[in-house]
């Protein structure tokens, strides 16, 4: 199956999906992927869900509320839930809304005083509305707050709490004695799987009881034991107490096993190990230095100048060490390290140091130093060397930067191509699943062919009505059988219009739709003629209309060539199935009926009655079952004369050899007086058979088969 997990997916990883949906294809969409700014590829949830709807056909949707996380400040949960419901409306989707304890009915007073509680109750009402109004199969699963012990995830509540504890103080919003229910996300995945395994279409709220009954104070004490010396502050919130419920244990065989207070040390140890890996003191110091490059360079330049001036003074009197010009070495070093600008600054500082040494050590005056050109040479050398070294360093830096940019560009291109390749592979898999599983795919057409592979026309009518309604996404399908060459009798209709659909139409009324005849054809009501369907398909047999399939209403987006071709293909499959069924009936007519009559034998009549009962159960048709009251005439004479007393679309059957039943198709209880009057004219008295008797009769026929005996 195709499964969409959406909302607060901070607790969802591969292990969660494998446990909750084994063997299914799962698409996980986090709420952060639907940012409302223009930088997001999907500017709104509506666009995101439309994108998903085009690429996937989901069978199940699990929405995880943001309020499953304690102390969360995330907004927009109600709007996102409504967007998901609007996308699922009108589709056969099983939606499980996993909510936190804020909206529990048993804690209405406590929850109602908070904004989160009000929103949680509104989300409950929203689920009820869409379940009743739009037909979305919805269940609310109310669980304690979630936490995760998975090494692949960061808990959105515990990790920030550990970070706060590491600073020496932490704050919990609840009062010290307030209830604080908590559930491991890994256990939730098992419960979700069991709920879907025994899914029914009824709306209900499933409450998961708080097994361990922890309080906020107990969690605070556990944090203090893990972080000695930490100060924990408590709020004044009354918390959320879940109602006592054993539905998870009784119905699904599930109970909570993991306790947060026992798992907390393991989670904290994993957090501590990850934090040690992430924070390296040396690396952090280097990063801080790199963030302040200009001040550090200036400080290092000044400190190096002082150092080399001290070396120059110390070694100026040494015969061996005096041969080195430490100021020139300083200029080369700074220019090579920091570039042209700092190289010139170093040359200036070296010149200042050299001039100071001339004045103090050798007794030069400014005039003597300035007016003697030979004294300029060291100063010129400093600036030339500083400029050359700085230029070389600058050119190398630019070359390295260009090479790094080129490498980054190649890396980004490689990453993009890799992602593009993986996306193409995933799209290929998605398209393959669409071809097999989408509601209008060739795989679905093959499934339709298998569904229609039956020999009872009544079963074909019912399956045809169901399949057309599902695949065409239309609730106004009607099917008529032409009898007597002049009338079209209703045999099946979509449940939404079954009560209002006309039970009989004359072929004159349908003249524009039937055309010239001679072959089966599709008709489209492009001129919007009143009283006629939007689409009609005529199935002809022996050159005359036999079955009419109508779509009475169609939306504007369904008046397309694609929709017409899809309707034509499906009707063609129905035509082939009906052709086989009619041929089978014609061949088996003698075996199905009592000799020389149109009265069905017991087994054949049971099949017809079961088919009509299935139509009635699906609210696609109605029927009356009448029992002929024994009178003066023998049953054998009634069997021979009954054919002229009922319509061509009705059926009569003989059960146990002496009880005659009449199956009046598309008849209701209000039609009983008219039927009795018509049969009384033929000297036939009847009595209706109620629902329980019909079930008993079907069971009796199934048990005895064709053992009805002879006819008197």
């Amino acid at each position: 199956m195709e499964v969409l997990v959406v909302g607060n997916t901070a607790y969802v990883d591969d292990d969660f999906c494998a446990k909750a949906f084994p063997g299914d294809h799962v698409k996980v969409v986090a709420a952060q992927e639907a940012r409302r700014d223009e930088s997001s590829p999907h500017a709104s949830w509506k666009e995101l869900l439309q994108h998903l709807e085009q690429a996937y056909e989901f069978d199940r949707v699990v929405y995880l509320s943001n309020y499953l996380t304690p102390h969360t400040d995330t907004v927009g949960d109600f709007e996102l839930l409504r967007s998901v419901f609007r996308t699922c409306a009108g589709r056969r989707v099983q939606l499980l809304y996993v909510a936190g304890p804020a909206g529990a009915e048993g804690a209405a007073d406590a929850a109602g005083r908070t904004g989160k509680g009000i929103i949680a109750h509104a989300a409950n009402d929203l689920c009820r509305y869409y379940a009743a109004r739009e037909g979305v199969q919805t269940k609310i699963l109310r669980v304690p707050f979630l936490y995760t012990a998975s090494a692949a995830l960061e808990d959105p509540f515990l990790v920030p709490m550990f970070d706060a504890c590491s600073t020496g103080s932490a704050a919990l919003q609840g009062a010290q004695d307030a209830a604080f229910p908590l559930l491991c996300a890994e256990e939730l995945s098992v419960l979700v799987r069991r709920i879907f395994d025994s899914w029914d279409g009824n709306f209900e709220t499933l409450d998961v009881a708080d097994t361990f009954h922890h309080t906020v104070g107990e969690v605070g004490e556990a944090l203090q034991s893990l972080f000695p010396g930490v100060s924990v502050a408590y709020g004044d919130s009354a918390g959320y107490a879940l109602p006592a419920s054993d539905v998870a244990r009784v119905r699904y065989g599930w109970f909570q096993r993991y306790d947060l207070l026992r798992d907390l040390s393991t989670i904290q140890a994993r957090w501590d190990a990850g934090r040690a890996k992430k924070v390296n003191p040396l690396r952090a110091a280097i990063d801080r230095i790199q963030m302040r490059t200009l001040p550090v360079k200036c400080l290092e330049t000044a400190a190096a100048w002082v150092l080399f001036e001290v070396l120059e003074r110390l070694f100026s009197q040494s015969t061996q060490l005096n041969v080195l010009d430490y100021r020139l070495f300083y200029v080369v070093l700074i220019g090579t390290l920091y570039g042209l600008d700092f190289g010139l600054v170093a040359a200036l500082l070296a010149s200042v140091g050299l001039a100071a040494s001339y004045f103090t050590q050798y007794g030069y005056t400014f005039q003597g130093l300035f007016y003697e050109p030979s004294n300029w040479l060291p100063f010129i050398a400093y600036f030339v060397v500083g400029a050359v070294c700085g230029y070389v360093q600058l050119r190398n830096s630019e070359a390295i930067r260009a090479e790094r940019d080129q490498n980054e560009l190649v890396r980004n291109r490689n990453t993009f191509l890799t992602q593009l390749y993986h996306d193409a592979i995933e799209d290929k898999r998605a398209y393959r699943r669409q071809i097999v599983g989408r509601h209008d795919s060739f795989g679905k057409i093959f499934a339709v062919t298998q569904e229609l592979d039956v020999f009872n026309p009544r079963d074909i009518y019912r399956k045809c009505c169901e399949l057309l309604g599902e695949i065409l996404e239309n609730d106004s399908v009607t099917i008529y059988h032409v009898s007597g060459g002049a009338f079209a009798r209703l045999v099946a209709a979509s449940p939404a219009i079954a009560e209002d659909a006309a039970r009989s139409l004359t072929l004159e009324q349908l003249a524009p739709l039937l055309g010239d005849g001679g072959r089966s054809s599709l008709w489209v009501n492009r001129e919007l003629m009143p009283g006629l369907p939007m689409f009609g398909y005529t199935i002809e047999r022996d050159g005359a209309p036999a079955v009419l399939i109508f779509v009475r209403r169609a939306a504007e987006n369904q008046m397309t060539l694609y929709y017409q071709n899809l309707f034509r293909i499906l009707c063609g499959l129905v035509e082939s199935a009906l052709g086989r069924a009619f041929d089978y009936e014609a061949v088996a007519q003698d075996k199905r009926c009592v000799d020389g009559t149109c009265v069905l034998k017991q087994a054949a009549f049971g099949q017809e009655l079961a088919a009509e009962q299935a139509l009635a159960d699906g609210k696609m048709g109605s029927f009356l079952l009448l029992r002929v009251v024994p009178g003066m005439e023998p049953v054998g004479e009634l069997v021979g004369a009954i054919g002229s007393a009922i319509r061509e679309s009705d059926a009569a059957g003989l059960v146990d050899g002496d009880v005659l039943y009449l199956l009046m198709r598309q008849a209701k209880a209000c039609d009983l007086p008219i039927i009795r009057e018509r049969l009384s004219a033929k000297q036939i008295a009847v009595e209706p058979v109620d629902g329980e008797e019909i079930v008993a009769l079907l069971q009796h026929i199934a048990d005895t088969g064709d053992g009805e005996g002879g006819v008197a």
Side-chain angles (χ1 to χ4, degrees), residues 44 51 69 112 259 269 288 310 332 499 511 682:
S44 68
H51 166 74
T69 301
D259 183 6
R288 286 194 297 269
V310 172
V332 172
E499 293 294 330
K682 300 288 186 178

Side-chain angles (χ1 to χ4, degrees), residues 63 65-68 72 74 77-79 81 85 97-105 107-108 110-128 140-143 145 203 205 240 242:
Y63 186 95
S65 172
N66 287 330
Y67 298 123
L68 291 169
T72 182
T74 306
D77 190 60
F78 186 81
E79 291 81 2
L81 177 62
F85 267 117
Y97 174 56
V98 184
E105 300 298 335
R113 291 195 295 266
T114 66
K116 294 179 182 178
I118 294 173
I119 295 175
H121 283 291
N124 296 346
D125 296 337
L126 184 70
C127 293
R128 293 189 185 93
I140 301 175
L141 177 62
R142 192 167 314 286
V143 300
F145 293 117
F203 173 81
T205 300
Y240 302 101
L242 287 166

